[in-house]
Amino acid sequence: MIITTTPTIEGHQIVEYHGVVFGEVITGINFVKDFFAGIRNIVGGRSNSYEEELNTARTNAMRELENRAQRLGANAVVGVDIDYEVLGNNNGMLMVTASGTAVTVR
């Protein structure tokens, strides 16, 4: 499966559009990660625990996007956009949404 942020794929022709597909992940950040991220906020530096959580959520959203495109018969997704939001009490939930257009290319 070809997944790209561009509206076309060089060297390929889009022969069928299957519609917009999404991959959404909402995940909670646990107390331990919050605690250590709070320390990082005070002393400075990168928060590896939050970066890992963000990377995992993004990977899972992209995997869900790909699976939904495959179920529609697509072999590529073009125009992919990834959005991040925080939700819930004290912004304790992370939402990652990936969207794009499922297409068949040749």
Side-chain angles (χ1 to χ4, degrees):
M1 169 91 43
I2 300 170
I3 299 176
T4 181
T5 59
T6 60
T8 60
I9 302 170
E10 188 173 338
H12 295 276
Q13 177 184 5
I14 295 175
V15 295
E16 186 175 358
Y17 289 86
H18 300 280
V20 177
V21 290
F22 295 90
E24 303 97 358
V25 172
I26 299 175
T27 182
I29 307 299
N30 70 37
F31 171 76
V32 175
K33 289 181 183 178
D34 279 345
F35 176 76
F36 286 112
I39 291 172
R40 283 285 180 206
N41 191 33
I42 293 168
V43 300
R46 295 173 66 164
S47 172
N48 290 334
S49 61
Y50 275 2
E51 288 178 6
E52 288 173 16
E53 191 69 35
L54 180 62
N55 187 40
T56 298
R58 183 176 48 245
T59 299
N60 289 339
M62 292 297 290
R63 186 175 300 127
E64 186 173 311
L65 173 90
E66 181 177 351
N67 289 339
R68 288 180 176 174
Q70 285 176 338
R71 286 196 301 268
L72 293 174
N75 64 359
V77 182
V78 296
V80 172
D81 180 53
I82 301 173
D83 292 311
Y84 305 90
E85 296 290 333
V86 288
L87 308 167
N89 294 340
N90 300 321
N91 295 324
M93 304 290 285
L94 170 67
M95 178 176 71
V96 178
T97 304
S99 62
T101 303
V103 298
T104 298
V105 297
R106 122 171 83 119

